Amino acid sequence: MRIPALFRKYIWLVNTIHRAGRITLAEINDKWMSADISEGQPLARATFNRHKAAIEEIFDIFIDCDRRDGYTYFIGNAEVLEGNTLQRWLLSTLSVGHIVTDNIQLQDRMLLEYVPSGQGALQTVIDAMKNSVAVSFNYTKYGANMSKGVTVEPYCVKLSGQRWYMLGHFSEALADGEHEPGALRVYSLDRISELKATSVHFVMDPDFSPADYFADCYGVTVGDGTRPQRVVVRTLPWLSYYLNDLPLHHSQREIGRCDEYTDFELFIRPTRDFVNHLIGWGDAVKVLEPEFLVETVREKLRRALRQYET
């Protein structure tokens, strides 16, 4: 589906102002007139103000004006465009969607990645979050043959590794023999069936932050007992450029570099999914710290090698 023209203009305005840092309306108009999106028509002040209000309402992005600096415009809450935020993801997705739909004639030459989680399940969960009601569903764990009925309070959703996940909270009323009151569990939406919203209302803990809950995670593994800690990895030079462009984790920082290798430090939970990702890089990465993680990776590689010895 083609992105509506107004949304394309909103995206263009946000990106233009954010890239500039500070910019006057006259400078915005110069860039506007040189872009195809203008269709040769200047951006009137009244139209700009309407777009600015719509951007605030739809994306929760504030375009502010500094009258003391020559009436320059800037993104008042620029942090939402610089972190791992919904606004940044949404703008990026819409921008890419615009590029793809405007070049649909090249569909056989644009190869995309499939996200298996059904949009129907995602919409149901988000509606339940919006209405603060619990959801019930049948859940089949990976490797299990039987599904199990579950009812939880949907605290948040998270996209990770091409899959959507829901973080469910078990209140005292919803606790069962397997889950105690206050327990939090992660569910993959593509393993859920017969999902429906219930009439059971809940109040989310105001002190709970989904971002903080997953802050130390590589993906969505939290409750396996692995504690967050300092991890140091050494990579070959070519991989260091890749990891600087696409960090393993938001805590990643480069702590050493020479012609032969680059060292990175992270503060993360070295869970199984993180370990498997490191192993996937083969001999391009080596764990230096902590020692138990070095041994974990070493043993996994030994077992993998034994499969090829006969």
Side-chain angles (χ1 to χ4, degrees), residues 19 23 43 84 107 167 187 192 214 238 271 284:
R19 282 195 299 266
I23 187 171
L43 181 62
N84 186 22
Q107 59 181 306
L167 179 64
Y187 297 94
I192 284 175
F214 287 107
W238 67 265
T271 50

Side-chain angles (χ1 to χ4, degrees), residues 215-274:
D216 301 324
C217 301
Y218 168 74
V220 294
T221 304
V222 182
D224 67 344
T226 306
R227 63 181 180 84
Q229 56 200 282
R230 180 176 184 264
V231 173
V232 179
V233 296
R234 175 167 291 176
T235 72
L236 293 180
W238 67 265
L239 182 56
S240 69
Y241 296 110
Y242 181 93
L243 294 184
N244 276 321
D245 287 340
L246 192 63
L248 290 167
H249 188 251
H250 64 81
S251 66
Q252 174 184 304
R253 69 184 187 95
E254 186 176 310
I255 59 173
R257 174 183 289 269
C258 66
D259 292 340
E260 288 77 29
Y261 58 80
T262 302
D263 290 346
F264 292 98
E265 177 190 67
L266 307 92
F267 190 81
I268 193 172
R269 295 177 187 268
T271 50
R272 183 174 58 181
D273 50 357
F274 177 67

Side-chain angles (χ1 to χ4, degrees), residues 132-179:
S132 296
V133 295
V135 292
S136 65
F137 52 90
N138 289 331
Y139 191 72
T140 307
K141 295 181 180 179
Y142 286 103
N145 296 321
M146 300 289 292
S147 62
K148 182 175 182 179
V150 181
T151 302
V152 297
E153 299 169 350
Y155 263 27
C156 73
V157 291
K158 188 178 192 298
L159 181 62
S160 177
Q162 296 177 245
R163 283 183 166 84
W164 280 103
Y165 295 86
M166 173 185 64
L167 179 64
H169 175 256
F170 288 87
S171 64
E172 187 171 349
L174 299 178
D176 52 30
E178 183 179 352
H179 306 99

Side-chain angles (χ1 to χ4, degrees), residues 9 44 71 86 94 165 225 247 281:
K9 294 175 181 177
Y71 286 85
L86 178 62
L94 289 174
Y165 295 86
W281 289 113

Side-chain angles (χ1 to χ4, degrees), residues 28-281:
I28 293 174
N29 237 317
D30 287 343
K31 295 179 181 295
W32 174 268
M33 292 301 293
S34 64
D36 293 338
I37 199 170
S38 70
E39 299 179 343
Q41 299 297 316
L43 181 62
R45 181 176 294 276
T47 303
F48 171 75
N49 288 334
R50 286 197 299 271
H51 291 349
K52 186 163 71 75
I55 289 168
E56 180 177 334
E57 180 179 356
I58 297 171
F59 299 106
D60 202 29
I61 296 172
F62 303 98
I63 299 176
D64 293 334
C65 179
D66 188 347
R67 293 176 174 82
R68 296 173 298 179
D69 186 29
Y71 286 85
T72 55
Y73 291 92
F74 61 98
I75 305 298
N77 55 339
E79 66 276 2
V80 302
L81 298 178
E82 297 164 359
N84 186 22
T85 63
L86 178 62
Q87 288 92 336
R88 184 181 182 184
W89 181 85
L90 183 58
L91 283 172
S92 175
T93 301
L94 289 174
S95 298
V96 172
H98 162 55
I99 294 171
V100 172
T101 54
D102 266 14
N103 296 279
I104 196 67
Q105 69 274 17
L106 297 175
Q107 59 181 306
D108 294 336
R109 296 164 63 184
M110 292 187 286
L111 309 180
L112 309 176
E113 292 188 344
Y114 173 62
V115 178
S117 302
Q119 291 186 7
L122 179 61
Q123 185 64 61
T124 300
V125 171
I126 289 177
D127 287 344
M129 290 165 55
K130 189 184 305 181
N131 296 320
S132 296
V133 295
V135 292
S136 65
F137 52 90
N138 289 331
Y139 191 72
T140 307
K141 295 181 180 179
Y142 286 103
N145 296 321
M146 300 289 292
S147 62
K148 182 175 182 179
V150 181
T151 302
V152 297
E153 299 169 350
Y155 263 27
C156 73
V157 291
K158 188 178 192 298
L159 181 62
S160 177
Q162 296 177 245
R163 283 183 166 84
W164 280 103
Y165 295 86
M166 173 185 64
L167 179 64
H169 175 256
F170 288 87
S171 64
E172 187 171 349
L174 299 178
D176 52 30
E178 183 179 352
H179 306 99
E180 298 179 353
L184 291 161
R185 293 293 183 271
V186 175
Y187 297 94
S188 175
L189 293 192
D190 54 313
R191 307 299 295 174
I192 284 175
S193 61
E194 299 184 37
L195 172 68
K196 62 181 180 180
T198 71
S199 59
V200 179
H201 285 265
F202 71 93
V203 177
M204 184 172 170
D205 181 355
D207 295 326
F208 179 80
S209 167
D212 290 345
Y213 184 76
F214 287 107
D216 301 324
C217 301
Y218 168 74
V220 294
T221 304
V222 182
D224 67 344
T226 306
R227 63 181 180 84
Q229 56 200 282
R230 180 176 184 264
V231 173
V232 179
V233 296
R234 175 167 291 176
T235 72
L236 293 180
W238 67 265
L239 182 56
S240 69
Y241 296 110
Y242 181 93
L243 294 184
N244 276 321
D245 287 340
L246 192 63
L248 290 167
H249 188 251
H250 64 81
S251 66
Q252 174 184 304
R253 69 184 187 95
E254 186 176 310
I255 59 173
R257 174 183 289 269
C258 66
D259 292 340
E260 288 77 29
Y261 58 80
T262 302
D263 290 346
F264 292 98
E265 177 190 67
L266 307 92
F267 190 81
I268 193 172
R269 295 177 187 268
T271 50
R272 183 174 58 181
D273 50 357
F274 177 67
V275 171
N276 289 340
H277 185 76
L278 292 181
I279 291 175
W281 289 113

